[in-house]
Each structure stands twice: as structure tokens, then as C-alpha cells.
Amino acid sequence: MFGDPEQMAQAMRQFADMLSAPQGSGPVNWDMAKNIARHAVVAEGDPSVMEGERRQIVDALQLADLWLNEATSLPSGVNNPQAWSRSEWIENTVPVWRKLCEPIAARMVETMGGTLGGAGLPPEAQQMAGPLMGMLRQMGGMMVGQQIGQALGSLAREVMGTTDIGLPLSDTAALLPGGIASFSDGLELPAEEIRLYLALREAAHHRLFQHVPWLRANLLGAVEEYAKGITVDTSALEEQLRGLDINNPEALQEALSGGALLKPEETERQKAALARLETMLALVEGWVATVVGDAAEGKLPSAGALSETVRRRRATGGPAELTFGTLVGLELRPRRLREAATLWQALKADRGIDGRDAVWSHPDLMPTADDLDAPDAFVKGDTSWDISKLDAEGPQDSEDE
């Protein structure tokens, strides 16, 4: 009658989590989402980080940070290097995921509540059904929370650190031994070199995120701006839910998974946000690739091969990018990574390391998408900018550009 006892127990746990969500806690019960994500990674094995593994990771991050001192003028961003299990990655990155996902989650929960409750009811009937509608919205929140939990669990099985998708998911530089092992599978390269190369990338990202004050807000703000234009395809949702057995967790998950229900509005504002985000992601990844390449030169024989492997993984969009797309309706791909790396290399050749890194001092000094098309013009352009004036005026809004 009740089917698989394990599925029944899981459903009861999730229902209890839903009812335990405090009032005003937002559209998603994040405790439930975290529990689902943890169950997903534990089901496939998530051993605690052993002391030997932890020491290897910490040593690699510290050595990588020393090498970076010769390749960039930005100071260290590695204060307390750590090695995390997949469950620890979930726990430590949820605050940023919450900020990124809640705008979309709120829209989905509201739409699902109306769809499940029959949005076409007369106003009198809707008023009488008020308490029921509230419960239906809770059910919608549970379903969205389940989707987020499953997506984070899937992502946690793939990531190698806190900066894989180009966004600052944590202030702590950390690598996952399990993620590194998965990445290394099939690569006929020394494990020490792979670990050190990934440590260089992690440490380089943290130099940017820790010491370029405006960058974090710029990236996360662009994601949020794009998310504001996302709508839920009500007709597709109704079609998915019609005749669906709510007692079947797999059917529910299949109906809600994927980005098919999320429809971006093709407004000029959203296009500008997407273009700004893609350009900034390319500039971050291009700078990191350039700095890591310089730091590894003559020290890490496999750096070139590893750089190409990572570049293809980021440019073509691996499972991590697809998973992120189901969370916020957006794929994070630095589509112009090669052009950005070429620009940073040209800046270093013309202005030196200090001159290249000084471009990060203010958002209005950053290259644009057009500059990626003509890097020489940007490099040779007028650099006699009054930084104090820029700080006084503040960065120009994207709508004014």
C-alpha cells in the first residue's frame, strides 16, 4: 500500500521539515534543502576528510599562494585554507545559494500555489480557501526546496573547490579531495600536480574576490538582475502537474527538474545584465588562467595540459553549469575566455604586472565586451584616468551605459 518503506520514510521526513519551517522564513525551507542535498551525497559515499588528505590540501593551497606572489600584485586571499567533504561544501555555501536562488524560488512557489489551488476560482471561493491556499504554497515551497536540494547534492558531487562556477560561494579557500579525485579520473598526470594546479586556481580566485571590493557585488548583482526577468511558464507547469501522482517522489522531481519551466523575458535590461555577467565571468576566468599560467611556468610540467582541460570544462559547460541553470534559470559560461586571457596577457606585456592588476581598482576601468574584440585598442588607450574622480562619482549604472 505504501510502496518502498525508505521512500515513505524520506517523504515523512520532508513533510515534517516543511511543517517545521518558521513563519516568515522565505519561500524555501533551506534546512530541508540542505538535508536533501546531504542525503544525495551520502547515498553515493561522502567520507570525512582524513588528516592526511587535509594536510595535502592545506599544503597545496599554501604553496600555491606563495607562487602567486610572483605572478600578481594582489595580496593573498588565503587566510585559513581548508579541505572539505561534500557535505561540508553544502553547509558552507548555502548562504550564497540562498541569495542567488530565492528570487526565482519565490516566483515559482507563488505560481505553483496558484496552479495547485486552481487560480481560476472566483474571488469568493479563493477567500474561503485562504488557509488551503497557504498550505498549497507550503507544498510548492517543499517541491522547490526538494529541487534545490537535489541540484545542490548533484553539484556537490562534481565541484573541486569554492570557485568552480566563477562565483564566490565562500570567503574560505577550500578544496574537496573527493572532487579532485573525480576530476583526476582518466587524466594520466601526477596527483600532486593536479592538486597543486587546482590549488593555484582556487587561491587566485580568492585574491580577486577578497581584494577587489566591488567584484563580489557586481557578479552576484548581475545574477540577481537577470533573475528578476525570469518568469514561470504557467501553462507548462499546469501541463506537468496535470494527472501527477503527488505520492510519487520521482515523478514530482522529474516534473520540476530542469529549466523548462523558467522562461527569461527578453527585455533590454535583462540582455544587458546577461552581457555584463558573461563579460565579467570571462574577465575573471581569463585573469585567473593568465596568472596561474605565469605562476606555474617552470614549476609545474603538466600546467598546460591541465589548463586546457579546465578551459574546455568551463567553456563547454559541464554538469555544474547545467545544474546551476536549473537553480536560477541561467548557465554560467565564460564564453569569451580566450579573448579575455589574450587581453590580460597584452596588458601585462604593455604595462607590467602592477599595471595589469591596477585595472581591477575600479569597475569603470574594466574592459567591456567591445574591448575583448579589440584588445590592442584597450591596451594602448588613454590610461590617464583620475581614479579619485571615479570614486567620487561611483560606477555608472548599466542602464546609463
Side-chain angles (χ1 to χ4, degrees):
M1 174 180 176
F2 293 106
D4 186 345
E6 177 58 32
Q7 288 185 0
M8 186 64 183
Q10 181 179 353
M12 293 300 293
R13 282 196 302 269
Q14 293 176 8
F15 189 69
D17 285 339
M18 179 190 76
L19 296 179
S20 67
Q23 291 294 325
S25 60
V28 177
N29 184 337
W30 283 94
D31 288 337
M32 184 190 75
K34 283 194 293 185
N35 287 338
I36 292 173
R38 282 174 167 169
H39 284 307
V41 297
V42 169
E44 296 195 9
D46 182 34
S48 299
V49 178
M50 304 299 290
E51 178 57 28
E53 293 175 317
R54 189 195 70 81
R55 190 71 258 165
Q56 287 177 334
I57 295 294
V58 170
D59 287 348
L61 284 167
Q62 290 176 336
L63 178 57
D65 208 37
L66 287 175
W67 286 5
L68 287 171
N69 287 335
E70 303 173 5
T72 174
S73 61
L74 294 179
S76 171
V78 178
N79 301 316
N80 181 27
Q82 295 184 17
W84 288 344
S85 66
R86 293 181 169 102
S87 295
E88 289 172 323
W89 180 89
I90 292 169
E91 183 69 34
N92 286 295
T93 61
V94 155
V96 175
W97 288 118
R98 182 169 188 163
K99 181 178 178 66
L100 293 173
C101 296
E102 288 213 332
I104 295 295
R107 206 164 280 116
M108 286 195 73
V109 168
E110 196 64 31
T111 304
M112 289 172 66
T115 302
L116 289 169
L121 290 175
E124 299 82 3
Q126 289 188 16
Q127 186 175 3
M128 293 176 61
L132 175 61
M133 296 297 292
M135 179 171 289
L136 289 173
R137 276 197 277 280
Q138 275 192 307
M139 288 180 63
M142 182 181 73
M143 292 178 182
V144 175
Q146 183 183 42
Q147 179 186 357
I148 290 175
Q150 292 285 356
L152 289 181
S154 174
L155 192 58
R157 293 195 293 269
E158 303 159 7
V159 295
M160 300 166 287
T162 68
T163 58
D164 289 33
I165 63 171
L167 297 178
L169 297 179
S170 172
D171 290 333
T172 301
L175 292 176
L176 284 67
I180 295 175
S182 297
F183 174 79
S184 304
D185 190 28
L187 297 179
E188 297 180 357
L189 297 171
E192 295 80 5
E193 292 191 23
I194 296 174
R195 183 167 52 245
L196 188 50
Y197 183 83
L198 296 176
L200 279 166
R201 286 184 51 81
E202 178 80 1
H205 275 102
H206 277 274
R207 290 202 178 210
L208 274 182
F209 295 142
Q210 297 289 342
H211 298 292
V212 179
W214 56 267
L215 180 57
R216 180 184 300 266
N218 183 287
L219 285 169
L220 299 183
V223 175
E224 290 182 72
E225 183 69 24
Y226 183 85
K228 288 177 182 177
I230 294 288
T231 59
V232 180
D233 187 340
T234 307
S235 60
L237 178 61
E238 290 175 350
E239 183 66 28
Q240 292 276 36
L241 294 177
R242 187 176 295 122
L244 194 63
D245 181 5
I246 63 173
N247 295 311
N248 186 337
E250 286 79 8
L252 280 172
Q253 180 60 32
E254 183 178 351
L256 296 174
S257 63
L261 300 179
L262 303 178
K263 298 289 184 181
E265 293 179 350
E266 292 299 322
T267 63
E268 291 304 315
R269 183 170 184 173
Q270 194 177 32
K271 288 178 182 178
L274 180 59
R276 187 170 74 251
L277 177 63
E278 289 184 341
T279 299
M280 191 56 64
L281 284 171
L283 290 170
V284 168
E285 287 294 321
W287 184 88
V288 167
T290 300
V291 168
V292 167
D294 290 346
E297 187 175 3
K299 303 185 186 78
L300 210 58
S302 60
L306 287 167
S307 173
E308 184 62 17
T309 300
V310 171
R311 188 198 67 78
R312 289 179 180 176
R313 178 185 171 108
R314 289 291 286 124
T316 59
E321 281 77 10
L322 297 177
T323 302
F324 187 88
T326 68
L327 291 177
V328 296
L330 173 68
E331 291 181 355
L332 289 178
R333 297 187 188 178
R335 301 180 188 276
R336 309 192 64 187
L337 194 156
R338 286 190 186 275
E339 293 94 328
T342 299
L343 186 146
W344 290 120
Q345 290 162 2
L347 278 172
K348 178 192 171 187
D350 187 77
R351 307 182 192 177
I353 290 176
D354 290 347
R356 177 199 64 194
D357 294 347
V359 174
W360 290 103
S361 62
H362 196 282
D364 286 347
L365 295 178
M366 293 297 294
T368 65
D370 291 338
D371 293 324
L372 296 182
D373 293 324
D376 290 341
F378 178 84
V379 172
K380 301 297 184 182
D382 181 17
T383 59
S384 57
W385 292 52
D386 185 347
I387 302 297
S388 62
K389 182 179 179 181
L390 285 175
D391 288 334
E393 294 177 353
Q396 297 294 313
D397 294 333
S398 59
E399 294 178 319
D400 297 335
E401 291 177 355

